Amino acid sequence: MNFQPVMNFQPVLLWSDLLLWLLTFVAIGLGVYSAHVEHLQRAWARLSRNAVATGTASILCVFLLIGLLDSLHYRPRLESNPAAGAAVRTAHYAVEVRSLLDALLSSLREHHEKTYSAPLAIRLYVMETEETQTGATRDYPRLRHGGAHLADESGHLRDIFSSILQGIALAALLFFLLKMALARYRVPAGGVPANGSGFAWRGVLYALGAFLFLALPIAFLAADYHVFGTDKVGQDVLYQALKSIRTALAIGLVTTLVMLPLAIFLGIVAGYFRGWADDLIQYVYTVLNSIPGVLLIAAAVLMMQVFIDKHSGWFSTAAERADLRLVALCFILGVTSWTGLARLLRGETLKLRELDYIQAARAFGVSSGRIITRHLLPNLMHLVIIALAMDFSALVLTEAVLSYIGIGVDPAMMSFGSMINNARMELSREPAVWWSLATAFTFMLVLVLCANLFADALRNALSSMDDAAFEHEADMSGDP
C-alpha cells in the first residue's frame, strides 16, 4: 500500500507494519483497561514488584522499539536530472523500500566489503592475488571501510580499546544520571520507593545499565569497524541481526492475532456447550494435532509461494512480495498452533461452568452469550496471557527452524533463521566463518531468554491472583 509522494520520500505501509502497530496500540489499550480492573490491577502490581520482571520487560521494550523503528517504511526520492526542464521533471522514487531503522543505521547498511571479514578486522578473511611491481603476490587486502581511518596498522588494538573506553565512559555517565533521576523519585537501594508504589525500579536500572554498557561500546566501534564481521557478500552482520529483530517480533506477535480468536472462541464453546459442539471441536483439533506440524506448514507455505509467483505483477517492490510471504507464514502458524490454547481453555471452562454463580446466572435466564462474555471470559484471560507470553518464544524459534530448512520467510527478508541457514555452509569452510551463527544465536538467546523469564514472572503473578480469589470465594461461602 503506497501513499502519494511527500517531499523527498514516499511512505510505504506494509501489511506487517499495520499489524505490528495495531498490536502495539491494542497492548497499550489493554494495559490502560487492566489498570481500572481491580483483580488485574493487583496482579500487575504484584508483577511490578518483581525485579526480574521489570528488568526483562525493559529489555523486551528495547527490542520492540527496534522492531517498530523498522516498521516505518518509505521509498527515497531519486535525484532529478538537472538538464531536464521544470515542466518535464517528475518525482521518481527508488524501488528499494527502506525503514527508519535503515536511515539510523545508514553507515552499517552502506559500508559493504568484498566478502568475509572477521569481527573488528581491518583485512579480509580470504586471500587475494595482488599485482605489484615485483610480481603477483597473495595477501589479505585491507577492508574498504573497516579500520580505513588507520594509517598505521600497529595502532589497531589501541584504537579498539580507545573506542571501548569511550563507550564505557558514556555508559557510566548515563547510568549515573539514570540512578540520580531515580533517587530524586526517592527510590532506596532496595528498589522500593518511599511513596509506597512498590515498583521494582532496581530491575529497570540494572537492565538498562547492562544494555548501555554493552550497546554504547558497540556503537562506538561500529562507527569505524564491522563489530560482528561481514558475510559472504560483505554485508555487516550487526546490521543483519538488528534487522532480524522485526521479523522475530512479527512472527511472535502477528501469529497471536490469528491464533487468539480461534483458540478463545472454539475453546469456550467446546467447554460451555459440550455435547455435539464439544465433540466436533475436539475432532478438529485432534485431526490437526495428528498431522506433522512441519509437513503441514511446509505444504501451506509452498502453495502460498506458488500463488505469489503466479501473481508477481501485483507487487511493485520486492519488499511487498517478501512482506506478503511473512504475513502468510504468520497466518499459517496461527491456524496450526491454536489447538493447545483451545484445549486449555476448554478444560478451564468445563470447571468454571459448574460453579455456583454460573449456575445461578443460568437459572435466572441470563443468555449464554452474556455469561460467556461477562463471567467466563474475564476469568480465562489470565490463562490466555500466560499462554501467549510463553508461546512467543516458541514461535521465534519455529521461524528459525523453518527458515533453516528453506520454508520460512522470503530469502530477501533478514531473519535469524536466514542468518543461521546462510552460516550452515560457512561453517564447513576452512577456516570456518563462525560469527554469523554466533551473532544470530546471541540475539535470539537474549530475546527468548527475556521473554521466558518475563513469562514465568507473569505466570506466578497471575497464578497467585487466581489462588487468592479462590480462597476468598471459599471464605465467603463458608467452606473449610
Side-chain angles (χ1 to χ4, degrees), residues 321-332:
R321 177 190 177 101
D323 184 72
L324 180 61
R325 178 164 172 171
L326 173 64
V327 174
L329 180 61
C330 293
F331 272 81
I332 294 167

Side-chain angles (χ1 to χ4, degrees), residues 414-436:
M414 298 179 189
S415 70
F416 295 126
S418 299
M419 293 179 66
I420 296 173
N421 185 34
N422 295 333
R424 176 178 54 180
M425 299 302 296
E426 296 172 353
L427 291 174
S428 62
R429 297 180 76 256
E430 183 58 39
V433 178
W434 52 267
W435 45 86
S436 293

Side-chain angles (χ1 to χ4, degrees), residues 280-466:
L280 178 61
I281 293 172
Q282 285 191 75
Y283 177 79
V284 170
Y285 66 61
T286 301
V287 171
L288 277 177
N289 285 335
S290 64
I291 303 174
V294 175
L295 180 61
L296 184 62
I297 294 171
V301 168
L302 292 176
M303 290 172 59
M304 186 64 193
Q305 186 60 42
V306 171
F307 175 81
I308 292 175
D309 292 338
K310 287 184 176 180
H311 301 84
S312 57
W314 291 3
F315 312 104
S316 58
T317 62
E320 294 179 1
R321 177 190 177 101
D323 184 72
L324 180 61
R325 178 164 172 171
L326 173 64
V327 174
L329 180 61
C330 293
F331 272 81
I332 294 167
L333 289 174
V335 170
T336 56
S337 60
W338 60 269
T339 56
L341 180 57
R343 184 187 290 111
L344 179 65
L345 295 179
R346 171 187 173 273
E348 189 70 13
T349 303
L350 286 172
K351 182 181 72 174
L352 292 176
R353 75 183 302 275
E354 302 300 331
L355 296 180
D356 292 341
Y357 68 92
I358 299 292
Q359 297 296 329
R362 297 179 65 183
F364 278 106
V366 180
S367 64
S368 298
R370 184 168 178 80
I371 292 175
I372 290 174
T373 57
R374 183 75 174 177
H375 300 292
L376 290 179
L377 189 58
N379 288 296
L380 294 172
M381 286 309 297
H382 67 286
L383 294 177
V384 174
I385 295 173
I386 293 171
L388 293 183
M390 301 189 72
D391 286 346
F392 173 82
S393 302
L395 290 170
V396 172
L397 297 176
T398 299
E399 182 276 326
V401 173
L402 294 177
S403 296
Y404 177 76
I405 61 178
I407 57 173
V409 298
D410 192 271
M413 178 172 287
M414 298 179 189
S415 70
F416 295 126
S418 299
M419 293 179 66
I420 296 173
N421 185 34
N422 295 333
R424 176 178 54 180
M425 299 302 296
E426 296 172 353
L427 291 174
S428 62
R429 297 180 76 256
E430 183 58 39
V433 178
W434 52 267
W435 45 86
S436 293
L437 178 62
T439 303
F441 173 79
T442 303
F443 274 76
M444 283 186 61
L445 175 65
V446 175
L447 176 60
V448 173
L449 180 62
C450 289
N452 284 339
L453 291 175
F454 181 76
D456 289 341
L458 182 62
R459 179 184 59 191
N460 294 335
L462 293 175
S463 297
S464 300
M465 177 199 72
D466 194 42

Side-chain angles (χ1 to χ4, degrees), residues 83-98:
V88 181
R89 296 178 190 173
T90 57
H92 296 283
Y93 296 88
V95 177
E96 180 187 11
V97 177
R98 301 177 186 174

Side-chain angles (χ1 to χ4, degrees), residues 1 13-28 60 63-73 99 242-257 323 326-327 330-331 392 396 413:
M1 291 180 289
L13 180 61
L14 302 176
W15 286 108
S16 58
D17 297 340
L18 179 64
L19 294 174
L20 277 174
W21 282 102
L22 176 63
L23 284 171
T24 302
F25 287 121
V26 168
I28 295 174
L60 291 175
F63 278 101
L64 180 62
L65 177 62
I66 295 174
L68 292 178
L69 289 175
D70 203 17
S71 297
L72 296 172
H73 288 95
S99 68
L242 293 174
K243 292 284 289 183
S244 299
I245 292 175
R246 176 184 179 274
T247 305
L249 292 177
I251 293 292
L253 297 177
V254 176
T255 302
T256 63
L257 195 65
D323 184 72
L326 173 64
V327 174
C330 293
F331 272 81
F392 173 82
V396 172
M413 178 172 287

Side-chain angles (χ1 to χ4, degrees), residues 133-250:
Q133 296 179 352
T134 59
T137 60
R138 289 184 59 80
D139 194 7
Y140 298 96
R142 285 289 299 266
L143 299 179
R144 299 171 183 169
H145 304 285
H149 64 291
L150 294 176
D152 184 8
E153 294 187 30
S154 60
H156 179 204
L157 292 178
R158 183 170 60 253
D159 185 66
I160 290 177
F161 283 118
S162 175
S163 298
I164 292 175
L165 290 176
Q166 291 179 40
I168 291 176
L170 181 58
L173 176 61
L174 293 178
F175 181 77
F176 175 76
L177 293 177
L178 179 61
K179 194 170 183 179
M180 292 298 295
L182 294 180
R184 288 182 61 86
Y185 188 60
R186 295 183 300 171
V187 181
V192 179
N195 58 13
S197 66
F199 191 88
W201 288 105
R202 178 182 56 186
V204 178
L205 179 66
Y206 291 158
L208 292 181
F211 170 76
L212 290 174
F213 279 99
L214 285 174
L216 290 180
I218 291 176
F220 274 87
L221 289 171
D224 299 314
Y225 299 96
H226 300 288
V227 182
F228 296 118
T230 57
D231 63 359
K232 186 176 182 179
V233 297
Q235 193 171 45
D236 192 273
V237 174
L238 175 60
Y239 173 73
Q240 294 180 23
L242 293 174
K243 292 284 289 183
S244 299
I245 292 175
R246 176 184 179 274
T247 305
L249 292 177

